[in-house]
Amino acid sequence: MGRLGSAIMKQQQSSGPIDARGRIDAALAEVAAYQGQRQGQGRGGLLVLADTLADAERLVDAGATHFLIAPRGAGEVVLALRAAGALTERRSPEARAEGRGEAAALHRWLAGRLQAHQPCAAVAIALSRLDLVNAAHGRARADAAIATAGERIAAAAGERAIVVRTGDRFLLGVEDGDLRLLAAALSRALEVEGTRVMLGSRIGVAEAMPGDDADALIRRATDALDDARAPGAAAVQVAEADGVASPDRLAIDLHHAVAAGEIDVLFQPQVEIATGRIVGVEALARWTHGRLGPLGADALFAAADRADLGLALSDHIQELTLARAAAWPRSLGALRLSLNLTAADVARAGFARTFLDRVDASGFPRGRLTVEVTESGMIHELDHAAALLAELRGAGCRVAIDDFGTGYSSLAYLKALPLDYLKLDKALVVDIAGAPRDRVVVRGVIDIARALGIAVIAEGVETPAQLALLTAEGCGWYQGFLRAGPLGEDALVTMVEGR
Ligand code: C2E
Ligand code: CA
Ligand code: CA
């Protein structure tokens, strides 16, 4: 680090660099502090040295303009510093004035409405992980997709709105903060040069409050966006022969997976204990990765979260599942179908309507459909979740609470939510064959559910002993490897007909 270190020191006063290698948190704070100064003084670019692309991305989010990943010598750093300086100079007169001009237009628009005491809101939209989109589709196609996204945003925002773009962000002034149109416009995949491109997005919105000025409103919207982008990205670790597939790599691959037909759905039988009959199935998503082979649902959803494609993926899986089930042969015609909803689905404004339209369009009867939601999917905004579930029930679907017994306030959910089924989590099913104390808990849950008129279905039943104990406690249905794991349609038909 000797020569490199001294080259860094010399430059430290002007435009960095900030060395984040092995000290990412401290470096993030430094970038933020530098950013604050820079706004005051109109200073130039900021170079950071990072260990990984993921770190570099966080630093760029915090305000760095240039990065080097694991530089090997002082020469590289000096060159990068020169580029950072040159770019700032090149950009300063025209490009920055143009940026300022657009921002000023937004500013004027908001200020005008605020002065006239008309309702308005500022919206900040960030397209997520464009590095992944670039890597998946190439720069030119990614740029075309971003431009199309911009057009969609403008169309969804309507005529009485203003849209300004800065890099991967869009800033809007709108008359009201209804994000349904915007969110819907962005969650649909784009067609670019005959290829399906999916862009993830995060949205921050701030509605005008008494005493607001345009600056405050824009700042609140960008702060809200930062909240929406807070880390929480799940780590995906998929073992492969030569080590581990990087989470970023999977997230890039996911961009192609839908178009390539790699996403599929399997059906796991649900059995009525009294008769041993298969009365329904739960749809479970699978990703058959071109290189890595079959991946589980957990890897699939973690990759989707990372690429901010959760909603797009969820839409796709629901459509695929309903289409499959609507075309089932006659022998499966009496089965119920259970679909998993994600927490993001539940939180979506107007989701019940969207979902019911999708069901009706598929031709699968509402009356044979169950949706499964987890407690963690409803922890925020219980009222909203309850209203959604009530609407789906009112429309003829049934509702199940999934993974019951893994959360913290389970009994409160049972009381507050309109439910048809409770799915007893695997962990409780394992418990039932264990110590007498564990059994007491399972017995209690089943008793309470029964008293509330909620049917109980046990998940993850693997042994005859577990089944016998569940039966003795009054559990009505089960699902698990004891009968069958998730099956393809042919295997399902064979199993149902062969009974
Ligand atoms: P889940 O809804 O609790 O699904 C049950 C999981 O338990 C499935 O894992 C299933 O394969 C597994 N399983 C079934 N029987 C047994 C058993 O006897 N023993 C054990 N040890 N495991 C059993 P899978 O398919 O990997 O799904 C994991 C989770 O991913 C699901 O948990 C669900 O939360 C989510 N998921 C799966 N498919 C979808 C989907 O299409 N949409 C949504 N939104 N979520 C999905
Ligand atoms: Ca489930
Ligand atoms: Ca479950």
Side-chain angles (χ1 to χ4, degrees), residues 6-59:
S6 66
I8 293 170
M9 287 308 294
K10 260 196 271 160
Q11 300 283 350
Q12 202 91 47
Q13 287 84 5
S14 56
S15 55
I18 290 175
D19 192 349
R21 291 170 299 174
R23 51 189 291 280
I24 178 71
D25 288 326
L28 279 168
E30 284 169 28
V31 170
Y34 182 88
Q35 177 75 351
Q37 273 178 22
R38 195 164 67 162
Q39 268 154 11
Q41 300 172 12
R43 281 216 274 178
L46 175 60
L47 172 69
V48 290
L49 312 181
D51 286 316
T52 62
L53 181 61
D55 281 354
E57 195 199 349
R58 291 176 66 192
L59 293 156

Side-chain angles (χ1 to χ4, degrees), residues 110-368:
L110 288 171
R113 292 194 66 88
L114 288 168
Q115 255 158 32
H117 300 291
Q118 290 166 318
C120 63
V123 180
I125 302 177
L127 300 179
S128 308
R129 299 309 308 266
L130 291 177
D131 54 336
L132 301 181
V133 183
N134 281 331
H137 297 290
R139 185 116 213 167
R141 197 172 280 155
D143 283 347
I146 296 165
T148 311
E151 286 162 18
R152 276 198 188 168
I153 290 172
E159 278 177 10
R160 285 177 300 175
I162 178 167
V163 183
V164 167
R165 177 178 165 193
T166 52
D168 65 345
R169 286 192 175 203
F170 295 87
L171 282 174
L172 284 70
V174 297
E175 292 195 329
D176 67 47
D178 184 354
L179 297 181
R180 251 169 288 184
L181 279 175
L182 281 174
L186 285 168
S187 67
R188 274 179 293 129
L190 304 153
E191 282 289 327
V192 180
E193 296 156 19
T195 302
R196 222 175 130 116
V197 178
M198 296 185 291
L199 290 178
S201 59
R202 300 278 168 131
I203 301 180
V205 63
E207 307 219 27
M209 298 196 300
D212 258 342
D213 61 21
D215 274 334
L217 197 53
I218 294 171
R219 187 161 7 88
R220 282 217 315 283
T222 46
D223 284 351
L225 175 61
D226 289 339
D227 289 347
R229 302 180 90 181
V236 193
Q237 300 235 321
V238 182
E240 57 175 327
D242 54 349
V244 159
S246 94
D248 274 350
R249 183 67 239 171
L250 277 185
I252 291 170
D253 295 344
L254 182 61
H255 279 273
H256 294 298
V258 169
E262 293 179 356
I263 310 292
D264 198 7
V265 49
L266 299 179
F267 300 98
Q268 183 176 34
Q270 299 178 321
V271 181
E272 185 177 44
I273 293 179
T275 60
R277 275 179 35 219
I278 296 173
V279 291
V281 290
E282 175 180 7
L284 293 162
R286 287 293 177 273
W287 180 6
T288 309
H289 188 283
R291 196 166 38 84
L292 301 173
L295 299 180
D298 291 329
L300 174 60
F301 282 94
D305 274 350
R306 207 171 169 90
D308 269 344
L309 293 177
L311 289 179
L313 180 70
S314 196
D315 283 347
H316 176 70
I317 293 175
Q318 285 164 18
E319 272 160 23
L320 184 71
T321 305
L322 287 163
R324 290 276 165 76
W328 271 344
R330 186 184 287 269
S331 58
L332 303 185
L335 296 188
R336 295 194 61 79
L337 171 67
S338 210
L339 279 182
N340 290 283
L341 300 185
T342 63
D345 282 328
V346 173
R348 228 155 154 175
F351 178 72
R353 201 59 269 150
T354 311
F355 182 75
L356 290 170
D357 287 348
R358 178 172 294 154
V359 175
D360 294 347
S362 77
F364 191 86
R366 292 176 180 186
R368 272 170 50 211

Side-chain angles (χ1 to χ4, degrees), residues 282 340 372 402-403 423 425-426 459:
E282 175 180 7
N340 290 283
E372 298 189 6
D402 203 355
D403 300 345
K423 298 193 78 177
D425 191 71
K426 284 194 264 291
E459 288 191 289

